[in-house]
Amino acid sequence: MQHPIQVPSGALDSNERKRPEEALRESEERFRTLVQFSFDVYWETDAQHRFIRQEFAETLLEPPVSEIGRTRWEVPHLEPDAEGWRKHREMLDAHLPFRDFELARPTPDGGKRYVSVSGLPIFDDTGHFMGYRGVGRHITERKRAEQALIESEARFRTFVDHATDMFMLYSEDGRVLDVNRNACESLGYSRGELVGATASFFDLQMDQAAWRINRERLKAGGIATLESRYCRKDGTLFPVEVRMREFCEGGRSQIICLSRDITERKRTAETFREMQAELTHANRAAAMGQVTASVTHELSQPITAMLCNAEAALTWLDRQSPDLEKARQALASIVAEAKRGGEIIGWIRSLIKKTPAPKESVDLNGAILDVITIARSELLKHDVLVQTDLAPGLPLVKGYRVQLQQVVLNLILNAIEAMNCLDVGRRELRISTAADASSLVVVAVRDNGPGLDVAIIDRLFEPFYTTKPDGTGMGLSICQSIIEAHGGRLWTRANEPRGAVFLFNLPSEQG
C-alpha cells in the first residue's frame, strides 16, 4: 500500500508565491520584447501629464534622455508651434486617445530629432482619470526623407514650370492630370481649367479616335512625335510639335506630353522657301543669259522657215493657174514652224517664271534633249562635243519639268566652264540615263576636264561656296535643293580617265 507524499506546508506557500512572481516577470519580459521590436519608447504619465515612466528600446541610435517629472511641452522643443501644442493639450485635458502626434526636439549638434507619439487615457475602477500610457517612434530619418522628397518635387516643379515647352500629364483616357505654367500661359487657361479636361479641349486634331491611335503607337514603345494645332482661350490658333511618351506609376499608365510652339519655325521655313524660290529663279535667269545665242539660233530657224514657206505660197498663188495644193502645203509648213517657235518661247518663258507649272509626269530623256538643244550654241562656241546615252523605255518621274531641266542646264554649263582650261585634246561631254534595280532613274553628266580637288568635294554643295572668281556659290546648292525636293540625291565623283561626273537620281512613278 502506497502512502501519499507529504509536502511541508511552508514549501507549498513558497511555490504558490513564486507562480505569480514568475508570471509577472514573464509578462514584463514579453512587454519589453514588444517595446524593443515595435517601438522606440514606452511611456506613462500621471493625471497632470507628467512622465512617471519611460522604457527605451536598446536599438536607439541616439542615447535616450529621461523626461521623468516633466510634461511633454516642458521638455525643450522646436515643433510644433504654439497652436499645435494648444490643440494637443486640449486633447489631453479632455482625456481623449491620440495617435501620431509629431514633435521635434533639439539635438546637441543643433539639429532636430523628430518623434511620433500615440497614447491612451487610463482610468481606475471608479472611472477616475489616472493618466496616459503610450508609445513613441523616432521618425527623424523618415522626416528627412519626406523633406528631401518635398524639396526634390519643388525643384522638379520649378524646372517644369520654367521650361520653354508646354508640359502636360495625361491619364490613359486622355484627361489632363497636371500642366506646367508655360502651358497655362500659352493657352490662356488656368491650371484649374485645364486639369480634368480632355486633350480635345484645346487640341483641334486630338479627338477620341486620334487619341486611341496614338495610344496604340505608345503601347508599342518609344516616343510618338506629331504636329498639331492648339486653340487658345481667345480663339487664336497656333501650330505645335507634340512629343508623347507613356510610363507606369503605381500600376497605372500615364502619358507625358511635351508641346512646343513652332510658329516661328513655320514662319522661318516659309521665308526660307520664298528666298529659295527667288534664288532658284535668279539662277535660271542667269543660266538663260549664258545660252542667249542658242535661244536666238533656235528661234531664227522656224522664223526663217516660215518666211521661206510664206514666199513660196505667194509664188504658187500668183501664177496664172494657181497651184493650190502646193500653196496649202507651204501654209501647213508655216503653221508647223509657228507651233515649234511657240513651243520654244513657251519653254523659255516657263524657265524664267518665278512659279513653276504644276507637277507632271516627266520624260527625262526628252527633257534632257530639249536642254541640249537650247545649250547648243554655247557648246559650239566652246568646241564641246556632246554624246548622249539615253536608256530606251526610261520610266517617267513625277516632278517639275522646268526645275529638273534647270539642274541639267546648270550641270552642262559647269562642265563647259570646267573644260575651258583644256588647251589640247577634244572637249567631251557625255550625258547618260539609266534605271537601277531600286526603281530609281539615274542621270549622269560626265566631262573630261581637270577634275575636282578632293579637298573641296565635301563643300561643293554648300551655299555660297564657290571656286569661280565671279561665282555666287548658289548653282550647285540650288540644284541639290531641287533634287532633294523631288525625293532624290545629287552627288559627284571622279571620271575615268579624267574629269568629273555629277549624278542625280529620282524615284520613278513605278517605284
Side-chain angles (χ1 to χ4, degrees), residues 287-295 372-384 386 409 412-413 416-417 420 427:
M288 285 303 301
Q290 290 181 260
V291 295
T292 301
S294 290
V295 173
I372 292 173
T373 299
I374 291 298
R376 183 181 300 158
S377 177
E378 196 73 10
L379 293 164
L380 293 173
K381 175 182 173 182
H382 294 279
D383 195 23
V384 175
V386 180
L409 183 58
I412 290 175
L413 295 176
I416 293 172
E417 190 168 356
N420 273 342
R427 299 170 181 174

Side-chain angles (χ1 to χ4, degrees), residues 179-180 183-185 187-195 201 233:
V179 294
N180 70 344
C184 297
E185 292 176 353
L187 293 170
Y189 291 101
S190 68
R191 183 176 179 276
E193 290 174 308
L194 291 173
V195 171
F201 180 59
K233 190 174 183 178

Side-chain angles (χ1 to χ4, degrees), residues 293-357:
S294 290
V295 173
T296 303
H297 175 76
E298 289 302 315
L299 282 174
S300 66
Q301 286 185 337
I303 291 173
T304 301
M306 284 189 290
L307 180 61
C308 292
N309 282 306
E311 290 175 346
L314 289 173
T315 300
W316 298 122
L317 293 173
D318 284 343
R319 286 188 175 188
Q320 199 168 21
S321 298
D323 192 334
L324 297 179
E325 181 57 32
K326 288 187 176 180
R328 187 180 293 107
Q329 292 175 1
L331 291 172
S333 295
I334 292 173
V335 172
E337 293 298 333
K339 287 182 177 179
R340 181 186 170 198
E343 289 173 356
I344 294 172
I345 293 172
W347 186 85
I348 296 170
R349 182 177 295 156
S350 64
L351 194 64
I352 60 175
K353 279 177 64 178
K354 286 189 176 182
T355 54

Side-chain angles (χ1 to χ4, degrees), residues 126-326:
T126 64
H128 180 70
F129 174 68
M130 301 292 292
Y132 272 91
R133 290 175 186 165
V135 294
R137 281 195 180 92
H138 285 206
I139 58 170
T140 304
E141 291 306 315
R142 192 194 79 190
K143 294 292 286 188
R144 286 174 180 167
E146 289 176 354
Q147 185 61 33
L149 180 61
I150 291 171
E151 292 173 357
S152 175
E153 289 179 345
R155 285 194 300 270
F156 176 74
R157 170 58 68 177
T158 300
F159 170 76
V160 169
D161 275 343
H162 286 81
T164 55
D165 293 337
M166 289 171 274
F167 170 92
M168 300 175 191
L169 185 65
Y170 289 99
S171 61
E172 285 186 276
D173 61 357
R175 293 197 173 275
V176 178
L177 299 175
D178 200 0
V179 294
N180 70 344
R181 185 172 63 184
N182 187 277
C184 297
E185 292 176 353
S186 297
L187 293 170
Y189 291 101
S190 68
R191 183 176 179 276
E193 290 174 308
L194 291 173
V195 171
T198 60
S200 59
F201 180 59
F202 51 84
D203 189 336
L204 299 185
Q205 295 170 223
M206 193 60 72
D207 55 18
Q208 287 298 320
W211 179 262
R212 284 194 298 271
I213 292 172
N214 281 291
R215 285 283 290 115
E216 291 301 321
R217 292 170 58 190
L218 292 175
K219 286 178 181 177
I223 299 173
T225 303
L226 58 138
E227 285 193 9
S228 188
R229 288 187 305 154
Y230 282 179
C231 180
R232 295 187 178 92
K233 190 174 183 178
D234 62 9
T236 58
L237 306 179
F238 62 103
V240 290
E241 180 185 72
V242 183
R243 292 169 64 84
M244 304 172 69
R245 186 166 192 169
E246 185 172 338
F247 73 102
C248 191
E249 183 181 56
R252 294 183 304 170
S253 293
Q254 296 180 353
I255 296 90
I256 289 178
C257 177
L258 292 177
S259 306
R260 177 169 296 179
D261 186 338
I262 55 174
T263 302
E264 287 303 317
R265 184 199 301 177
K266 291 281 190 182
R267 188 177 293 122
T268 301
E270 182 60 31
T271 302
F272 177 78
R273 280 194 293 270
E274 292 173 358
M275 291 176 62
Q276 189 79 0
E278 291 290 341
L279 287 170
T280 302
H281 171 253
N283 179 262
R284 284 202 300 268
M288 285 303 301
Q290 290 181 260
V291 295
T292 301
S294 290
V295 173
T296 303
H297 175 76
E298 289 302 315
L299 282 174
S300 66
Q301 286 185 337
I303 291 173
T304 301
M306 284 189 290
L307 180 61
C308 292
N309 282 306
E311 290 175 346
L314 289 173
T315 300
W316 298 122
L317 293 173
D318 284 343
R319 286 188 175 188
Q320 199 168 21
S321 298
D323 192 334
L324 297 179
E325 181 57 32
K326 288 187 176 180

